[in-house]
Amino acid sequence: MKISTRGRYALRFMIDLAQHKQDEFIPLKDISERQGISIKYLEQITSLLSKYGLLQSVRGPQGGYKLARPKNQYTVGEILRITEGDLAPVSCLEANATGCSRQSICATIKLWEGLGKVINAYLDGITLDQLTVLPETLDYSI
């Protein structure tokens, strides 16, 4: 599994919002400058995150974005599933998969199911709040 630029940038965007004034709307221009991500790319990401209710936004000169809920209520898994889609390690385990004709005799299906559970549990166990502190103070081991 490889996380795309969209997923990585969405996490950086959300972390940036979480690190700054929680009660104020932050202009996209400010986040773009801090994160080194183009405004056009951030607009695509904010559109997707807003659609799923992760952001609040206001247009105009005093406009911008802020988190829709407290930063400890967001998980990395939630953000990545919105931006990346299903986090299944193989296509036959994706939520909308039609099934595999070999699934009943597949020697590796349990391996992939276990890996999928570990990936999702790990990413769902890390909150946005945890990512706002200094990286060297965190332990992300399983």
Side-chain angles (χ1 to χ4, degrees):
M1 178 177 70
K2 192 175 199 178
I3 304 299
S4 72
T5 302
R6 180 171 52 179
R8 294 191 320 268
Y9 284 6
L11 274 175
R12 285 173 44 193
F13 172 81
M14 295 292 284
I15 292 166
D16 191 286
L17 285 179
Q19 289 174 325
H20 292 86
K21 300 173 185 163
Q22 299 292 300
D23 55 339
E24 294 181 23
F25 289 92
I26 301 172
L28 207 55
K29 179 179 175 270
D30 294 355
I31 299 168
S32 171
E33 289 172 0
R34 283 193 296 264
Q35 296 300 319
I37 304 171
S38 76
I39 290 178
K40 287 285 186 198
Y41 207 135
L42 286 177
E43 286 172 344
Q44 294 173 21
I45 291 169
T46 57
S47 174
L48 188 58
L49 295 173
S50 294
K51 175 182 171 185
Y52 286 90
L54 274 65
L55 301 175
Q56 292 181 348
S57 63
V58 171
R59 293 182 178 262
Q62 302 300 319
Y65 294 88
K66 70 178 183 177
L67 299 177
R69 43 186 211 255
K71 59 187 175 181
N72 65 345
Q73 293 181 12
Y74 293 88
T75 68
V76 171
E78 173 188 25
I79 296 164
L80 290 180
R81 277 188 287 280
I82 288 170
T83 56
E84 299 293 316
D86 200 316
L87 298 175
V90 291
S91 61
C92 64
L93 294 178
E94 291 176 353
N96 60 353
T98 56
C100 172
S101 62
R102 296 186 43 82
Q103 193 162 359
S104 64
I105 59 167
C106 181
T108 58
I109 191 68
K110 293 296 181 192
L111 168 80
W112 302 129
E113 287 173 344
L115 179 59
K117 287 178 184 176
V118 170
I119 289 169
N120 282 286
Y122 180 74
L123 295 175
D124 288 335
I126 301 171
T127 67
L128 198 54
D129 188 35
Q130 290 172 294
L131 294 175
T132 62
V133 299
L134 297 173
E136 59 271 7
T137 65
L138 298 174
D139 178 14
Y140 295 123
S141 59
I142 295 177

